[in-house]
Amino acid sequence: MKRDPLLWAALAAVLVVLASAEYQLAVACGFGTYVAAGVPAALDVYALAALRARRDVLAVVATLIAVNAASHLVEVGLLPVSVPLVVGVSAIAPLVLWRVHRLSERQAEPAPVVAEPEAEPAELQAEPITVERAPEPVDAEPIGPVLGPWSPVAELAGGTSGTSSGTGPDLLGDHFARAAKVISGRPAEPAPEPSTAPVPPTGTGAADILSEDTANTTFAKRVQTVRNWLQAEPELTGTEIGTRLGISDGYGRRLLRAAREDS
């Protein structure tokens, strides 16, 4: 209970007023002078116990109202003293003893609810993936195209041109020929020995690169030819001139410069 002076003063005044009426009712029902004082004392103790325990408060208030009203009705002669009234007043003491004893027992406090930790989901283990491969037949025919005998390109097999002395044996063509024979399953033939015979020069020779001062008419004729071409095609390049005359690009550019200088 709160330690409030006004609350205690009001409680004391109420108990005194009720105790007077309860004592007179007990005396009217046949209790002795000293024993009758136990009835209001028992009711006051029951009221204080109920207020402290915060239980049976409504029952205490109803009992006090009934006892107080019955005492005043008996005092003014409106309620005769009868058997039920005497039995009810006599039962006050045992009932108060029972209720005070029950109120003194502490009620079991509800146990705090402890939240159970959620169970962590078990880790899912990845199942191993098994890849089944179809067995390959031992003597199965090849699926892809089978390479047949290879014949080298004429340009590669015939060598290159454009120098004063030409080239020797076409090593690249011989290499591809040997590789084709290995692929086709035929034994590789020994490479032919290089020929020691002199190779005649092809393409642009020494006579083509002589200037006009050497009395060689080939250069002058070609310059004239290029000059005629430039009249019809001013944007003609040295590469195109070399292609038309079957000479190298450098020689074609030289002819182009000489034709433009003379013009």
Side-chain angles (χ1 to χ4, degrees):
M1 298 178 63
K2 296 181 181 180
R3 297 181 180 180
D4 189 357
L6 296 178
L7 178 62
W8 284 101
L11 180 61
V14 170
L15 293 179
V16 169
V17 173
L18 295 177
S20 175
E22 294 161 358
Y23 176 78
Q24 292 179 358
L25 179 61
V27 172
C29 291
F31 287 83
T33 304
Y34 300 102
V35 178
V39 175
L43 291 174
D44 293 343
V45 171
Y46 180 32
L48 294 176
L51 293 176
R52 184 180 61 182
R54 296 181 180 181
R55 291 186 297 163
D56 285 5
V57 178
L58 181 61
V60 168
V61 173
T63 301
L64 294 177
I65 292 174
V67 172
N68 191 35
S71 175
H72 289 290
L73 291 175
V74 171
E75 186 67 24
V76 297
L78 298 177
L79 178 64
V81 179
S82 57
V83 175
L85 181 60
V86 175
V87 173
V89 175
S90 301
I92 291 176
L95 292 177
V96 169
L97 176 64
W98 170 59
R99 293 309 306 163
V100 171
H101 174 71
R102 295 292 297 174
L103 292 174
S104 62
E105 295 179 355
R106 294 183 178 180
Q107 292 183 346
E109 298 180 356
V113 179
V114 180
E116 297 181 357
E118 298 181 358
E120 297 181 357
E123 297 182 357
L124 299 178
Q125 297 182 355
E127 298 181 357
I129 301 175
T130 304
V131 179
E132 297 182 358
R133 296 182 178 180
E136 297 181 356
V138 179
D139 299 331
E141 296 182 358
I143 299 176
V146 179
L147 298 177
W150 177 87
S151 56
V153 183
E155 288 78 0
L156 296 178
T160 58
S161 60
T163 60
S164 62
S165 61
T167 59
D170 192 355
L171 300 180
L172 183 61
D174 296 341
H175 172 73
F176 282 122
R178 289 195 297 270
K181 293 178 181 179
V182 172
I183 295 174
S184 61
R186 293 179 296 178
E189 297 179 358
E193 297 181 359
S195 177
T196 58
V199 179
T202 59
T204 304
D208 295 332
I209 60 175
L210 296 177
S211 61
E212 186 180 2
D213 299 335
T214 61
N216 189 350
T217 59
T218 303
F219 182 80
K221 292 179 179 180
R222 291 182 176 178
V223 171
Q224 183 61 34
T225 303
V226 173
R227 189 180 297 111
N228 297 333
W229 288 348
L230 289 176
Q231 293 178 0
E233 301 178 17
E235 301 297 332
L236 192 64
T237 62
T239 302
E240 295 176 351
I241 294 173
T243 302
R244 294 184 181 182
L245 297 177
I247 58 177
S248 62
D249 297 344
Y251 191 63
R253 287 191 292 271
R254 184 180 177 183
L255 292 175
L256 178 62
R257 288 196 300 270
R260 286 180 176 175
E261 290 175 358
D262 294 343
S263 59

